[in-house]
Amino acid sequence: MKITFYGHNTLLIEIEEIKVLIDPFISGNPLSKEKIDVNTIKADYILLTHAHEDHVLDAETIAKTNNATIVSNYEIAMHYQNKGIEVHPMNHGGNWDFEFGKVKYVTAIHTSSFADGTYGGQPGGFIIEGEHKNIYIAGDTALTMDMKLIPLSTKLDLAILPIGDNFTMGVDDAIIASDFVACDKVLGVHYDTFGYIEIDHDVAKRKFFEKNKDLMLLEIGGSISL
């Protein structure tokens, strides 16, 4: 399993030959739009955690270019189905076996609406089990006790957590979240894109290190393999 960071909460996860794109927000991201060409991104599936523009801006374009399937909550799925895009609707607590592995849609505490104010259903995160590796994509969320349910059914190899604060949990709560999900290997997302969520990288890494945890902050376009 290879994970490439495209900025903000946008990730490309390659599981065998299948490409799974998470929350595509590139053309409107000042940190990534000059580095990543939306038109060259290949995706078989696009997973959307919620409807905010900084998570779905490029979803329609990439889905139509690649004939990709969008996976999200029911309301978001229907929004894109009405645009002629193939979708797979899910809701909290539900699992589905896709060709790349099993996906579970889990709780997130946030808000969710499209840029025009249209209701985007309830936000969520994803647990993906593929290639004998299990990852948790929290999406935009506060720290929540529901995270403690995850290790009761899934042993995680990586937790992908927002750390920018203000709109989501910050570094300190993300450390607690990593305890809740029983995973000390964390990939940080949702930071630096806007002034509200700029962080001190060295301080963030040090705080995780002091708790015997590994926080990875990738450069845009950078990758890790599990």
Side-chain angles (χ1 to χ4, degrees):
M1 182 183 293
K2 181 180 178 182
I3 302 173
T4 302
F5 180 58
Y6 286 156
H8 204 52
N9 204 62
T10 307
L11 303 159
L12 182 67
I13 302 172
E14 298 175 72
I15 304 174
E16 295 181 351
E17 301 301 317
I18 306 300
K19 292 178 170 58
V20 182
L21 186 65
I22 311 298
D23 287 356
F25 173 66
I26 298 165
S27 63
N29 182 346
L31 301 183
S32 60
K33 64 182 181 180
E34 302 300 329
K35 299 178 181 179
I36 307 296
D37 183 355
V38 170
N39 297 310
T40 65
I41 292 176
K42 302 299 181 184
D44 299 294
Y45 294 87
I46 300 173
L47 275 56
L48 303 177
T49 60
H50 64 293
H52 285 163
E53 188 174 46
D54 61 325
H55 292 256
V56 305
L57 180 63
D58 299 309
E60 181 177 350
T61 296
I62 295 172
K64 288 181 174 178
T65 300
N66 291 273
N67 195 29
T69 298
I70 287 181
V71 180
S72 192
N73 67 38
Y74 181 81
E75 288 79 6
I76 291 175
M78 293 304 100
H79 172 87
Y80 287 104
Q81 181 173 273
N82 290 337
K83 294 175 178 289
I85 295 170
E86 186 73 23
V87 302
H88 182 103
M90 299 189 74
N91 220 319
H92 299 94
N95 295 272
W96 190 263
D97 289 321
F98 292 92
E99 59 182 317
F100 58 87
K102 186 171 78 170
V103 174
K104 185 173 186 177
Y105 191 64
V106 296
T107 302
I109 297 180
H110 196 59
T111 54
S112 179
S113 59
F114 289 95
D116 63 1
T118 302
Y119 177 56
Q122 294 298 308
F126 295 100
I127 296 171
I128 300 176
E129 300 181 11
E131 287 188 331
H132 307 293
K133 298 294 182 181
N134 304 327
I135 64 173
Y136 167 47
I137 302 165
D140 282 12
T141 187
L143 179 66
T144 167
M145 294 293 284
D146 283 356
M147 293 173 179
K148 288 192 170 186
L149 298 174
I150 292 173
L152 298 182
S153 58
T154 307
K155 180 175 174 54
L156 296 175
D157 296 286
L158 178 69
I160 300 173
L161 305 177
I163 58 172
D165 220 335
N166 194 72
F167 296 112
T168 69
M169 59 186 175
V171 170
D172 293 335
D173 279 356
I175 290 171
I176 299 171
S178 70
D179 285 335
F180 283 5
V181 301
C183 184
D184 292 334
K185 189 172 185 178
V186 174
L187 176 61
V189 292
H190 209 278
Y191 63 92
D192 283 356
T193 315
F194 322 114
Y196 287 119
I197 60 173
E198 291 178 354
I199 67 167
D200 185 315
H201 292 207
D202 291 335
V203 170
K205 289 179 180 179
R206 175 176 53 78
K207 286 185 173 184
F208 270 80
F209 179 78
E210 288 174 350
K211 297 295 184 179
N212 297 312
K213 299 175 186 293
D214 180 19
L215 174 65
M216 293 171 286
L217 302 178
L218 294 176
E219 296 291 332
I220 292 173
S223 302
I224 58 171
S225 295
L226 298 180

